Amino acid sequence: MAKEGAQRAEETEQMIDKEGGREAAEGGAGGSLRAGDAKEMRAVVLSAFGGLNKLRVSKKAMPEPQEGELKIRVKACGLNFIDLMVRQGNIDNPPKTPLVPGFECSGIVEALGDSVKGFEIGDRVMAFVNYNAWAEVVCTPVEFVYKIPDDMTFSEAAAFPMNFVTAYMMLFEVANLREGMSVLVHSAGGGVGQAVAQLCSTIPNVTVFGTASSFKHEAIKNSVTHLFDRNADYVQEVKRISADGVDIVLDCLCGENTGKGLSLLKPLGTYILYGSSNMVTGETKSFFSFAKSWWQVEKVNPIKLYEENKVIAGFSLLNLLFKQNRGGLIKGVMDKLLNLYNSKKIKPVVDSLWALEEVKEAMQRIHDRGNIGKLILDVEKAPTPLMANDSTETSEAGEEEE
């Protein structure tokens, strides 16, 4: 911790010595850059929707903070399954390409836009970003930025916001988790799954049923109460242990698992859909996979929900933040989560660190469901030479190589 603090002080001093950082401290964004003054940065660029070959590390103009924004020198970025779906164009109303993917990062405040209060240059922070996170520098509104606890590393901070806020909101805001309840969570070895397990452990006598690939069982067996192979008949396994079913089902798979999840709910139970990873089977978007998953979803009859006293819900953190303007609500949740972290009750699980140039290999690991916890892009990590050869290019950002 002391070593990291000394390193942080040195980094801060170096940044404050920079002309751009000093100007920002004195006068906010400082206006637009003159021709020839624009600084460049490295960023992961998605040239078009499709396979891994659409990703490249390119040079881009460095952004400057607008009013109400912070400029962050990025140290680490989080990878999530939604990033894979974005790459494929497998989301509703995807943005136009070329684009820089990524929705969360951690780093050091390098400049302040006008009207920004509560932060100083040199602060260690983590942030939500509406795309553009996978870069050396990002700018994002101050309402999406949070200070990092002193003993939290940058990689842990990049693994914290998306997973823990999603897990907390579903458990406590949507499903009202209380003592003695039971929860079924799929992909228990992933980032959200591990966050769910940790948060459930903060409430007395909560039973957690989890599904995961068999090779992950040894590593995560102590984080859940009952663990099943993702390919097994988990409905019968759960009912064998709890004949009445469970109080909460957290489903990131969709497809046939929707009907299975609803069938497992106790009266007054809550089913929450927060992802649809079953729609992703190959490297590129598949209409067949989408159609198969859609047809497997049990058509929900409101009268049946009424008769069985069941609740069905959906949760999308990114929509809540960037489309429905609930940044204030999320800030309150982050405050609670950071209190839990400082009390040593929760801690991000980092699977592995990857250089920006290794983004293809990192994404493939997510696709293969090989990770236990969160995959992190470490901006300062030197790439493995063999991995970097196919992921780096020096042409202008946005140009697609054939």
Side-chain angles (χ1 to χ4, degrees):
M1 180 174 173
K3 181 179 179 182
E4 186 177 8
Q7 182 181 4
R8 184 169 79 241
E10 183 179 351
E11 291 170 337
T12 302
E13 184 176 350
Q14 290 174 351
M15 285 190 296
I16 294 177
D17 284 342
K18 293 181 181 179
E19 182 178 353
R22 189 184 302 112
E23 289 176 354
E26 294 172 355
S32 60
L33 296 176
R34 297 188 302 272
D37 286 349
K39 299 178 181 179
E40 288 188 327
M41 65 175 184
R42 290 156 57 237
V44 176
V45 175
L46 179 66
S47 59
F49 298 118
L52 293 168
N53 65 324
K54 304 300 182 183
L55 291 167
R56 291 288 186 274
V57 175
S58 303
K59 294 288 187 179
K60 286 181 63 69
M62 188 179 297
E64 294 299 324
Q66 304 302 306
E67 182 174 0
E69 291 185 341
L70 291 174
K71 179 181 179 181
I72 301 170
R73 175 65 60 171
V74 176
K75 296 293 185 179
C77 319
L79 276 76
N80 299 284
F81 201 88
I82 186 66
D83 297 312
L84 191 155
M85 299 184 73
V86 167
R87 192 200 77 215
Q88 294 185 351
N90 209 354
I91 59 173
D92 287 335
N93 301 315
K96 293 181 180 179
T97 55
L99 62 87
V100 176
F103 298 102
E104 62 182 337
C105 65
S106 64
I108 299 175
V109 175
E110 191 168 271
L112 310 175
D114 291 334
S115 304
V116 170
K117 297 180 181 179
F119 291 90
E120 297 178 355
I121 290 176
D123 282 346
R124 300 169 70 247
V125 296
M126 51 187 158
F128 291 108
V129 188
N130 194 9
Y131 293 96
N132 299 308
W134 295 356
E136 290 182 312
V137 174
V138 302
C139 292
T140 193
V142 66
E143 66 174 318
F144 302 140
V145 183
Y146 318 92
K147 292 182 181 178
I148 300 174
D150 290 340
D151 60 344
M152 183 183 284
T153 67
F154 285 117
S155 58
E156 288 176 333
F160 193 84
M162 286 277 286
N163 291 348
F164 276 97
V165 171
T166 295
Y168 186 97
M169 291 290 293
M170 291 192 299
L171 288 173
F172 297 106
E173 298 291 335
V174 181
N176 192 22
L177 177 66
R178 300 183 304 282
E179 181 177 352
M181 282 188 165
S182 54
V183 179
L184 169 66
V185 58
H186 294 295
S187 300
V192 174
Q194 286 294 286
V196 165
Q198 290 186 28
L199 288 171
C200 285
S201 71
T202 67
I203 305 298
N205 302 319
V206 171
T207 302
V208 180
F209 297 90
T211 70
S213 299
S214 57
F215 70 89
K216 298 183 181 182
H217 285 202
E218 184 62 29
I220 67 172
K221 64 182 181 182
N222 294 327
S223 64
V224 299
T225 316
H226 303 285
L227 187 58
F228 311 122
D229 188 280
R230 66 188 301 264
N231 296 314
D233 184 358
Y234 63 85
V235 173
Q236 294 305 315
E237 292 292 327
V238 171
K239 287 187 174 180
R240 181 178 57 82
I241 299 168
S242 174
D244 293 337
V246 298
D247 296 291
I248 301 169
V249 173
L250 306 178
D251 181 12
C252 60
L253 304 178
C254 197
E256 63 180 350
N257 293 281
T258 299
K260 291 179 179 179
L262 286 170
S263 73
L264 279 172
L265 281 184
K266 295 179 181 179
L268 302 181
T270 303
Y271 162 95
I272 306 173
L273 180 71
Y274 71 100
S276 53
S277 62
N278 276 343
M279 294 184 183
V280 177
T281 52
E283 185 179 329
T284 58
K285 182 177 180 180
S286 167
F287 176 78
F288 174 76
S289 297
F290 179 87
K292 179 182 178 182
S293 186
W294 173 257
W295 283 109
Q296 285 177 333
V297 173
E298 181 173 305
K299 304 306 179 284
V300 177
N301 183 340
I303 299 299
K304 187 176 181 181
L305 293 176
Y306 153 74
E307 292 174 344
E308 297 182 352
N309 282 299
K310 293 181 178 180
V311 177
I312 185 168
F315 183 77
S316 166
L317 176 57
L318 295 179
N319 284 346
L320 199 66
L321 278 169
F322 302 124
K323 293 183 179 180
Q324 296 159 351
N325 303 314
R326 294 299 191 273
L329 172 63
I330 301 305
K331 185 182 185 308
V333 170
M334 281 292 289
D335 289 342
K336 295 175 183 177
L337 288 167
L338 289 173
N339 284 334
L340 289 172
Y341 175 85
N342 290 327
S343 301
K344 311 297 183 185
K345 294 182 178 179
I346 61 173
K347 184 179 177 65
V349 178
V350 175
D351 174 82
S352 49
L353 305 180
W354 305 75
L356 289 182
E357 291 81 5
E358 297 168 346
V359 63
K360 296 179 183 179
E361 290 74 21
M363 271 204 154
Q364 187 62 50
R365 183 167 173 82
I366 292 180
H367 183 277
D368 295 339
R369 279 75 165 177
N371 56 298
I372 297 175
K374 191 65 160 276
L375 276 77
I376 299 295
L377 291 180
D378 184 338
V379 175
E380 297 179 343
K381 182 179 183 294
T384 303
L386 290 177
M387 289 186 179
N389 289 340
D390 190 41
S391 300
T392 309
E393 50 97 48
T394 56
S395 59
E396 292 184 8
E399 289 187 357
E400 180 180 355
E401 295 190 349
E402 296 297 331

